[in-house]
Amino acid sequence: TDHFTEAHAVFQSRFGDCKEVAMILKSLGDLNKEDGKLEASKELYAEALDIEMSVFGHHRPQTLNAAGVVCLMLDDFRGAMEYHRRALQIQKKKLAAEQKYIMFETLVLIGNVYYSEQNNLSNIRTQGVDYKDFIESGFLGWIANAHDMRGEYGKAIQFYEESLQMAMSRSGKESKRETALTLNRLGSLTRELGRYEEAMDYHKRALSIQQSSSQSVAKAMTAETCVLMGMVKAKTGEYKTALNLFEDAVLTLKDALGEKHLSVTKTLAQIGQLHFQLSSYVEAFASLEEAERIQLESVGEMNRDTLETQALIGRVLTATGEYDSASTKLISVVDKQQSLFGANHPSIAETNQFIAENFLEQGMAAEARGVYVEVYNMRKIFFTMDQIPIAESMVDVIRARNGRPERALAIFRNAMDVYQEYLPDDHVLIGRLHVYEGDAHAELLEFSMAIGRYGNAREIFRKSVGECAIDSAQVAVNTGKVLLRKCDYDGAKAEFNTALSHYKQLLPENHPKVSSTLSLLGRVEEEEALCV
């Protein structure tokens, strides 16, 4: 504080009112706020704003928002709302399209004022709050969307739920359309939080409203809702059902909206993701590449959907053994996502997860573990310990570190509890967890337990992704390794040959998984010869 005060005196005496003085006053306001000197902070912000107007011809949104935050802390709701609204007006006028994400912070701050004033005890007693104009202008939806874009899904749900009640209380075609859109937003958000039954219920309600509308209006909207329902099905591991929904919807959307509409590209990306889950990498890459091409032409690279598509392409490149290309793609995506969202966001965490997968596929366990830890720490900001993303991250961190099988088994048990609460028993994630448990038991030389876990996984993968899939091949490899250690050479050979057959059907012939499985078959021959 002393240094800023001294700098203020120097600049003020030499240059009078200038941008440096305004910035110093803003910084002094920040410091006073941190020290709890709210009235002093408010005065400093006001002085900074006066100088900004004389120097720039307008106020800086950062200073307006800072003043609004202090007003809210002082229960000056009207003052806080006025500051934030002025900040939003300036941002709308002056920000370039790719910088619009900066407005989300301002909208969130407006939402904070709204809820604080609505829940203020003295206002409740005097019924002194009137937000009719605010609500009717659509601010609740804007604030909800801002929270959504910042990855704050729980807060977004609060605002959308209130917005839904408002839409349902009105009559007319437009209110029905608004109700259906809000129901779909709630479905998407609850899906992100792993509340899949609730998500599907929201989408079904939206679909019911849309199907009762005129056919010309409902055609594209019902297809979009079917895509969202497919995304829920994909999350619950019903891949083939989801794929059917997507493939039917994309034809309808192309016919109704044109081949270059964003709803079409999002559906193509979902089709690509499902093909990836089913180990159909050629089809996955084709769908994702088509989606990326259209997205780059229409909305550009600094767009949330474009970046998600590119991250999925990076994941396919990793799976097909193109590690360097995958790494380049994924790192580029993270850099752009950080420009859009800041340092932390669920989408950034997911892309970093794909980067860690890339390291792990190359045998770079230490590097993978470091990134997985970053993912875990980032997800803790947005999710709770009893939600799937956190459980998945804990599993990733421990499986990237050998030598602690007992600790791994404990974490796997905790993760299994979370998975079983949200997912069906034959979900791929549960199957993979059985594989990791089998690996830990094998490390403890508990071979019977390991083979039992692999058997459980094999059955789950057979049901969920089919017998010829990468997950099924991995089970065969791991089972073969255990049988080899037990000197069951015929059994090991059979497992390795099964894995090799799958890999040759699914992967390029020079893929590391193909060569490593051939090496394992050679090792069986060597050890069997030595045994004789």
Side-chain angles (χ1 to χ4, degrees), residues 450-490:
I451 290 173
R453 292 293 189 273
Y454 295 147
N456 293 340
R458 193 193 305 268
E459 183 60 24
I460 288 172
F461 296 146
R462 186 185 65 78
K463 292 178 181 178
S464 58
V465 293
E467 291 185 5
C468 186
I470 291 297
D471 284 305
S472 301
Q474 189 63 56
V475 170
V477 168
N478 292 14
T479 303
K481 287 178 180 178
V482 170
L483 293 174
L484 180 58
R485 293 173 76 176
K486 293 179 68 179
C487 299
D488 181 352
Y489 302 117
D490 289 340

Short mmCIF file of all heavy atoms in Angstrom, two decimals, residues 450-490:
data_model
loop_
_atom_site.label_atom_id
_atom_site.label_comp_id
_atom_site.label_asym_id
_atom_site.label_seq_id
_atom_site.Cartn_x
_atom_site.Cartn_y
_atom_site.Cartn_z
N ALA A 450 -6.61 -61.55 -9.86
CA ALA A 450 -6.39 -60.75 -11.08
C ALA A 450 -7.19 -61.31 -12.24
O ALA A 450 -7.90 -60.57 -12.95
CB ALA A 450 -4.91 -60.72 -11.42
N ILE A 451 -7.12 -62.62 -12.45
CA ILE A 451 -7.84 -63.24 -13.57
C ILE A 451 -9.34 -63.07 -13.40
O ILE A 451 -10.08 -62.86 -14.37
CB ILE A 451 -7.43 -64.72 -13.70
CG1 ILE A 451 -5.98 -64.80 -14.20
CG2 ILE A 451 -8.37 -65.46 -14.65
CD1 ILE A 451 -5.41 -66.20 -14.21
N GLY A 452 -9.82 -63.14 -12.16
CA GLY A 452 -11.24 -62.92 -11.90
C GLY A 452 -11.68 -61.52 -12.29
O GLY A 452 -12.74 -61.34 -12.92
N ARG A 453 -10.87 -60.51 -11.94
CA ARG A 453 -11.21 -59.13 -12.30
C ARG A 453 -11.18 -58.95 -13.82
O ARG A 453 -12.05 -58.29 -14.39
CB ARG A 453 -10.23 -58.15 -11.65
CG ARG A 453 -10.32 -58.06 -10.13
CD ARG A 453 -11.65 -57.45 -9.68
NE ARG A 453 -11.65 -57.18 -8.26
CZ ARG A 453 -11.98 -58.05 -7.32
NH1 ARG A 453 -12.36 -59.27 -7.68
NH2 ARG A 453 -11.95 -57.72 -6.05
N TYR A 454 -10.19 -59.54 -14.47
CA TYR A 454 -10.12 -59.44 -15.93
C TYR A 454 -11.34 -60.10 -16.57
O TYR A 454 -11.86 -59.62 -17.58
CB TYR A 454 -8.84 -60.09 -16.46
CG TYR A 454 -7.56 -59.39 -16.04
CD1 TYR A 454 -6.39 -60.14 -15.81
CD2 TYR A 454 -7.50 -58.02 -15.87
CE1 TYR A 454 -5.20 -59.52 -15.44
CE2 TYR A 454 -6.32 -57.39 -15.48
CZ TYR A 454 -5.17 -58.15 -15.27
OH TYR A 454 -4.01 -57.54 -14.90
N GLY A 455 -11.79 -61.19 -15.98
CA GLY A 455 -12.98 -61.86 -16.51
C GLY A 455 -14.21 -60.98 -16.41
O GLY A 455 -15.04 -60.93 -17.34
N ASN A 456 -14.33 -60.29 -15.27
CA ASN A 456 -15.46 -59.36 -15.11
C ASN A 456 -15.41 -58.26 -16.17
O ASN A 456 -16.43 -57.90 -16.76
CB ASN A 456 -15.40 -58.70 -13.72
CG ASN A 456 -15.66 -59.69 -12.59
OD1 ASN A 456 -16.21 -60.77 -12.81
ND2 ASN A 456 -15.24 -59.34 -11.39
N ALA A 457 -14.20 -57.73 -16.39
CA ALA A 457 -14.04 -56.67 -17.39
C ALA A 457 -14.37 -57.17 -18.78
O ALA A 457 -15.04 -56.48 -19.57
CB ALA A 457 -12.61 -56.14 -17.34
N ARG A 458 -13.90 -58.38 -19.10
CA ARG A 458 -14.14 -58.94 -20.43
C ARG A 458 -15.64 -59.02 -20.73
O ARG A 458 -16.09 -58.69 -21.83
CB ARG A 458 -13.51 -60.32 -20.52
CG ARG A 458 -13.41 -60.87 -21.95
CD ARG A 458 -13.07 -62.35 -21.93
NE ARG A 458 -11.87 -62.65 -21.20
CZ ARG A 458 -10.64 -62.73 -21.73
NH1 ARG A 458 -10.47 -62.50 -23.02
NH2 ARG A 458 -9.59 -63.02 -20.98
N GLU A 459 -16.41 -59.46 -19.75
CA GLU A 459 -17.84 -59.60 -19.94
C GLU A 459 -18.51 -58.23 -20.13
O GLU A 459 -19.41 -58.07 -20.97
CB GLU A 459 -18.47 -60.32 -18.74
CG GLU A 459 -19.95 -60.60 -18.86
CD GLU A 459 -20.31 -61.48 -20.06
OE1 GLU A 459 -19.43 -62.23 -20.55
OE2 GLU A 459 -21.47 -61.40 -20.52
N ILE A 460 -18.07 -57.23 -19.36
CA ILE A 460 -18.63 -55.89 -19.49
C ILE A 460 -18.32 -55.31 -20.87
O ILE A 460 -19.20 -54.76 -21.54
CB ILE A 460 -18.08 -54.96 -18.38
CG1 ILE A 460 -18.70 -55.34 -17.03
CG2 ILE A 460 -18.37 -53.49 -18.70
CD1 ILE A 460 -18.09 -54.62 -15.84
N PHE A 461 -17.08 -55.47 -21.32
CA PHE A 461 -16.71 -54.92 -22.63
C PHE A 461 -17.46 -55.64 -23.76
O PHE A 461 -17.82 -55.01 -24.76
CB PHE A 461 -15.20 -55.02 -22.85
CG PHE A 461 -14.38 -54.19 -21.89
CD1 PHE A 461 -13.14 -54.62 -21.45
CD2 PHE A 461 -14.86 -52.97 -21.43
CE1 PHE A 461 -12.39 -53.85 -20.57
CE2 PHE A 461 -14.11 -52.20 -20.54
CZ PHE A 461 -12.88 -52.65 -20.12
N ARG A 462 -17.68 -56.93 -23.59
CA ARG A 462 -18.42 -57.67 -24.62
C ARG A 462 -19.81 -57.07 -24.81
O ARG A 462 -20.30 -56.94 -25.93
CB ARG A 462 -18.52 -59.14 -24.22
CG ARG A 462 -19.15 -60.03 -25.29
CD ARG A 462 -19.34 -61.45 -24.79
NE ARG A 462 -20.30 -61.52 -23.68
CZ ARG A 462 -21.61 -61.47 -23.82
NH1 ARG A 462 -22.16 -61.32 -25.03
NH2 ARG A 462 -22.42 -61.54 -22.78
N LYS A 463 -20.43 -56.69 -23.69
CA LYS A 463 -21.78 -56.13 -23.75
C LYS A 463 -21.79 -54.68 -24.24
O LYS A 463 -22.68 -54.27 -24.98
CB LYS A 463 -22.44 -56.18 -22.36
CG LYS A 463 -22.76 -57.57 -21.86
CD LYS A 463 -23.37 -57.49 -20.46
CE LYS A 463 -23.69 -58.87 -19.91
NZ LYS A 463 -24.24 -58.78 -18.53
N SER A 464 -20.79 -53.90 -23.81
CA SER A 464 -20.85 -52.45 -24.04
C SER A 464 -20.22 -52.00 -25.35
O SER A 464 -20.75 -51.13 -26.04
CB SER A 464 -20.21 -51.71 -22.87
OG SER A 464 -18.85 -52.11 -22.71
N VAL A 465 -19.05 -52.57 -25.69
CA VAL A 465 -18.35 -52.11 -26.90
C VAL A 465 -18.11 -53.23 -27.90
O VAL A 465 -17.60 -52.99 -28.99
CB VAL A 465 -17.00 -51.43 -26.54
CG1 VAL A 465 -17.25 -50.14 -25.79
CG2 VAL A 465 -16.10 -52.36 -25.74
N GLY A 466 -18.43 -54.47 -27.53
CA GLY A 466 -18.23 -55.60 -28.43
C GLY A 466 -16.91 -56.31 -28.17
O GLY A 466 -16.01 -55.78 -27.52
N GLU A 467 -16.81 -57.51 -28.68
CA GLU A 467 -15.61 -58.31 -28.42
C GLU A 467 -14.38 -57.77 -29.14
O GLU A 467 -13.26 -57.89 -28.65
CB GLU A 467 -15.87 -59.77 -28.83
CG GLU A 467 -16.87 -60.47 -27.93
CD GLU A 467 -17.03 -61.93 -28.26
OE1 GLU A 467 -16.29 -62.43 -29.13
OE2 GLU A 467 -17.90 -62.58 -27.65
N CYS A 468 -14.57 -57.19 -30.32
CA CYS A 468 -13.44 -56.64 -31.07
C CYS A 468 -13.34 -55.15 -30.78
O CYS A 468 -13.86 -54.31 -31.52
CB CYS A 468 -13.57 -56.90 -32.56
SG CYS A 468 -12.12 -56.39 -33.49
N ALA A 469 -12.70 -54.81 -29.68
CA ALA A 469 -12.53 -53.42 -29.26
C ALA A 469 -11.20 -53.32 -28.53
O ALA A 469 -10.66 -54.31 -28.04
CB ALA A 469 -13.68 -52.98 -28.37
N ILE A 470 -10.68 -52.10 -28.45
CA ILE A 470 -9.38 -51.89 -27.80
C ILE A 470 -9.42 -52.32 -26.34
O ILE A 470 -8.48 -52.94 -25.83
CB ILE A 470 -8.95 -50.41 -27.92
CG1 ILE A 470 -8.63 -50.07 -29.38
CG2 ILE A 470 -7.75 -50.12 -27.04
CD1 ILE A 470 -7.47 -50.84 -29.97
N ASP A 471 -10.51 -52.01 -25.65
CA ASP A 471 -10.62 -52.41 -24.24
C ASP A 471 -10.59 -53.93 -24.11
O ASP A 471 -9.93 -54.47 -23.20
CB ASP A 471 -11.91 -51.86 -23.63
CG ASP A 471 -11.82 -50.37 -23.32
OD1 ASP A 471 -10.89 -49.98 -22.61
OD2 ASP A 471 -12.68 -49.61 -23.80
N SER A 472 -11.29 -54.64 -25.00
CA SER A 472 -11.29 -56.10 -24.95
C SER A 472 -9.90 -56.66 -25.23
O SER A 472 -9.46 -57.63 -24.59
CB SER A 472 -12.30 -56.64 -25.98
OG SER A 472 -13.60 -56.17 -25.71
N ALA A 473 -9.20 -56.04 -26.18
CA ALA A 473 -7.84 -56.48 -26.49
C ALA A 473 -6.92 -56.28 -25.30
O ALA A 473 -6.06 -57.13 -25.00
CB ALA A 473 -7.31 -55.72 -27.70
N GLN A 474 -7.08 -55.16 -24.59
CA GLN A 474 -6.23 -54.89 -23.43
C GLN A 474 -6.44 -55.93 -22.33
O GLN A 474 -5.49 -56.36 -21.67
CB GLN A 474 -6.51 -53.49 -22.88
CG GLN A 474 -5.54 -53.03 -21.80
CD GLN A 474 -4.12 -52.91 -22.32
OE1 GLN A 474 -3.87 -52.20 -23.29
NE2 GLN A 474 -3.19 -53.61 -21.69
N VAL A 475 -7.70 -56.35 -22.15
CA VAL A 475 -7.98 -57.41 -21.17
C VAL A 475 -7.24 -58.68 -21.56
O VAL A 475 -6.64 -59.37 -20.70
CB VAL A 475 -9.50 -57.67 -21.08
CG1 VAL A 475 -9.75 -58.93 -20.26
CG2 VAL A 475 -10.20 -56.51 -20.43
N ALA A 476 -7.28 -59.01 -22.84
CA ALA A 476 -6.60 -60.23 -23.30
C ALA A 476 -5.09 -60.15 -23.05
O ALA A 476 -4.47 -61.13 -22.60
CB ALA A 476 -6.88 -60.45 -24.79
N VAL A 477 -4.49 -58.99 -23.32
CA VAL A 477 -3.05 -58.82 -23.08
C VAL A 477 -2.73 -59.00 -21.61
O VAL A 477 -1.80 -59.74 -21.23
CB VAL A 477 -2.59 -57.43 -23.57
CG1 VAL A 477 -1.18 -57.12 -23.05
CG2 VAL A 477 -2.60 -57.36 -25.09
N ASN A 478 -3.50 -58.32 -20.74
CA ASN A 478 -3.21 -58.38 -19.30
C ASN A 478 -3.43 -59.79 -18.74
O ASN A 478 -2.67 -60.25 -17.89
CB ASN A 478 -4.07 -57.36 -18.55
CG ASN A 478 -3.69 -55.93 -18.88
OD1 ASN A 478 -2.97 -55.68 -19.85
ND2 ASN A 478 -4.16 -54.99 -18.10
N THR A 479 -4.47 -60.46 -19.24
CA THR A 479 -4.71 -61.84 -18.82
C THR A 479 -3.56 -62.73 -19.27
O THR A 479 -3.07 -63.58 -18.51
CB THR A 479 -6.04 -62.35 -19.40
OG1 THR A 479 -7.10 -61.49 -19.01
CG2 THR A 479 -6.35 -63.76 -18.91
N GLY A 480 -3.12 -62.54 -20.51
CA GLY A 480 -2.00 -63.32 -21.02
C GLY A 480 -0.73 -63.15 -20.20
O GLY A 480 0.01 -64.12 -19.96
N LYS A 481 -0.48 -61.94 -19.74
CA LYS A 481 0.72 -61.68 -18.92
C LYS A 481 0.66 -62.47 -17.61
O LYS A 481 1.67 -63.02 -17.15
CB LYS A 481 0.85 -60.19 -18.64
CG LYS A 481 1.29 -59.36 -19.84
CD LYS A 481 1.35 -57.88 -19.47
CE LYS A 481 1.80 -57.02 -20.64
NZ LYS A 481 1.81 -55.58 -20.29
N VAL A 482 -0.52 -62.50 -17.00
CA VAL A 482 -0.67 -63.25 -15.75
C VAL A 482 -0.50 -64.74 -16.01
O VAL A 482 0.20 -65.45 -15.25
CB VAL A 482 -2.03 -62.95 -15.10
CG1 VAL A 482 -2.28 -63.91 -13.93
CG2 VAL A 482 -2.09 -61.51 -14.61
N LEU A 483 -1.12 -65.25 -17.07
CA LEU A 483 -0.98 -66.68 -17.39
C LEU A 483 0.46 -67.04 -17.70
O LEU A 483 0.94 -68.14 -17.35
CB LEU A 483 -1.89 -67.03 -18.58
CG LEU A 483 -3.40 -66.93 -18.31
CD1 LEU A 483 -4.18 -67.16 -19.60
CD2 LEU A 483 -3.83 -67.93 -17.23
N LEU A 484 1.18 -66.13 -18.34
CA LEU A 484 2.60 -66.38 -18.62
C LEU A 484 3.40 -66.50 -17.34
O LEU A 484 4.27 -67.38 -17.21
CB LEU A 484 3.15 -65.24 -19.50
CG LEU A 484 4.62 -65.34 -19.90
CD1 LEU A 484 4.89 -66.65 -20.66
CD2 LEU A 484 5.02 -64.15 -20.76
N ARG A 485 3.07 -65.64 -16.36
CA ARG A 485 3.78 -65.72 -15.08
C ARG A 485 3.44 -67.01 -14.34
O ARG A 485 4.22 -67.49 -13.52
CB ARG A 485 3.41 -64.51 -14.21
CG ARG A 485 3.94 -63.20 -14.80
CD ARG A 485 3.44 -61.99 -14.04
NE ARG A 485 4.16 -61.82 -12.77
CZ ARG A 485 3.96 -60.79 -11.94
NH1 ARG A 485 3.07 -59.86 -12.26
NH2 ARG A 485 4.62 -60.71 -10.82
N LYS A 486 2.28 -67.59 -14.64
CA LYS A 486 1.89 -68.87 -14.04
C LYS A 486 2.38 -70.06 -14.86
O LYS A 486 2.07 -71.21 -14.55
CB LYS A 486 0.36 -68.94 -13.92
CG LYS A 486 -0.24 -67.94 -12.95
CD LYS A 486 -1.76 -68.07 -12.91
CE LYS A 486 -2.18 -69.40 -12.30
NZ LYS A 486 -3.65 -69.54 -12.23
N CYS A 487 3.16 -69.77 -15.93
CA CYS A 487 3.69 -70.81 -16.84
C CYS A 487 2.59 -71.56 -17.59
O CYS A 487 2.78 -72.71 -18.01
CB CYS A 487 4.58 -71.80 -16.08
SG CYS A 487 6.01 -71.02 -15.33
N ASP A 488 1.43 -70.90 -17.77
CA ASP A 488 0.36 -71.45 -18.59
C ASP A 488 0.58 -70.92 -20.02
O ASP A 488 -0.06 -69.95 -20.45
CB ASP A 488 -1.00 -71.03 -18.05
CG ASP A 488 -2.17 -71.61 -18.86
OD1 ASP A 488 -1.92 -72.22 -19.92
OD2 ASP A 488 -3.33 -71.41 -18.44
N TYR A 489 1.48 -71.59 -20.74
CA TYR A 489 1.92 -71.04 -22.03
C TYR A 489 0.83 -71.11 -23.09
O TYR A 489 0.66 -70.17 -23.88
CB TYR A 489 3.17 -71.79 -22.49
CG TYR A 489 4.31 -71.69 -21.49
CD1 TYR A 489 4.80 -72.84 -20.85
CD2 TYR A 489 4.85 -70.46 -21.16
CE1 TYR A 489 5.82 -72.75 -19.92
CE2 TYR A 489 5.88 -70.36 -20.22
CZ TYR A 489 6.36 -71.50 -19.60
OH TYR A 489 7.37 -71.41 -18.70
N ASP A 490 0.05 -72.17 -23.11
CA ASP A 490 -1.02 -72.28 -24.10
C ASP A 490 -2.08 -71.21 -23.87
O ASP A 490 -2.56 -70.57 -24.81
CB ASP A 490 -1.65 -73.66 -24.05
CG ASP A 490 -0.72 -74.75 -24.59
OD1 ASP A 490 0.22 -74.40 -25.34
OD2 ASP A 490 -0.93 -75.93 -24.25
#
